[in-house]
Amino acid sequence: MNVLMAATAASLFALGTYLLLQRKLSRIIIGLGLLGHGANVLFVNAGRRGRAPLIGASDPSTFADPMPQALVLTAIVISFGTTALLLALAYRSWMLTDDDEVADDVEDRAVARAGFADRELDDEAALAADLEATTAGTAEDLEGPGLGGDGDPTLAGTPDTLPTEDPR
């Protein structure tokens, strides 16, 4: 019986993992559900058999271990919440794209092709470069072309000569 339950849990994990690696959201949701059920079978199989743990009903040494049952109930609640969230995301994706296929992330593909290697940064050199860029940007802002004719920041964006109104 234990070998059969272990094989069932293993097959649920295997099938769930296979479905999680697919590109369709519906298959991913079903795969996540199968993984949750495999974990539940594993927890139930790990518990000790015995009588219901009711105080005064029988000898406490014959009680079943209540911890796996509590863990299974917690896992059921968590998997229900996760499935509800994924179904909402799949519905939203279906409404936006009329498909439940997960598209490639363009930036991930670019990083995978370019093979950006990690490089060592010198903290002091990076700080000096940031400080230099900040001070250069501040000086450029004060003398920049956005100021008015006299360099007064309140006149920024106004032409040097304003049109005069007709006195009539």
Side-chain angles (χ1 to χ4, degrees):
M1 183 71 170
N2 283 339
V3 174
L4 178 64
M5 296 296 276
T8 303
S11 63
L12 286 173
F13 275 114
L15 189 58
T17 303
Y18 172 74
L19 289 175
L20 270 180
L21 297 176
Q22 301 296 311
R23 300 191 64 88
K24 298 280 187 180
L25 279 174
S26 57
R27 291 181 181 182
I28 292 172
I29 293 170
I30 292 171
L32 195 64
L34 289 178
L35 277 177
H37 290 303
N40 293 342
V41 167
L42 199 62
F43 277 133
V44 168
N45 203 19
R48 182 183 60 180
R49 291 183 179 194
R51 296 182 178 262
L54 299 174
I55 296 175
S58 65
D59 183 23
S61 62
T62 61
F63 285 168
D65 187 10
M67 183 59 80
Q69 297 169 10
L71 289 175
V72 166
L73 286 176
T74 304
I76 288 171
V77 170
I78 290 171
S79 66
F80 177 74
T82 305
T83 303
L85 174 69
L86 288 176
L87 283 173
L89 291 175
Y91 177 72
R92 181 69 178 160
S93 174
W94 178 265
M95 293 299 289
L96 292 176
T97 62
D98 290 333
D99 194 13
D100 67 340
E101 185 169 330
V102 178
D104 277 342
D105 189 0
V106 177
E107 290 187 22
D108 283 348
R109 289 283 183 180
V111 168
R113 280 192 207 122
F116 294 109
D118 292 335
R119 60 186 170 115
E120 191 69 31
L121 287 178
D122 185 14
D123 291 338
E124 291 179 9
L127 181 64
D130 285 345
L131 185 61
E132 183 177 319
T134 303
T135 55
T138 305
E140 183 177 299
D141 289 344
L142 291 176
E143 299 169 2
L147 298 176
D150 297 334
D152 186 6
T154 58
L155 298 176
T158 59
D160 289 337
T161 59
L162 294 174
T164 58
E165 292 184 21
D166 193 9
R168 291 186 253 165

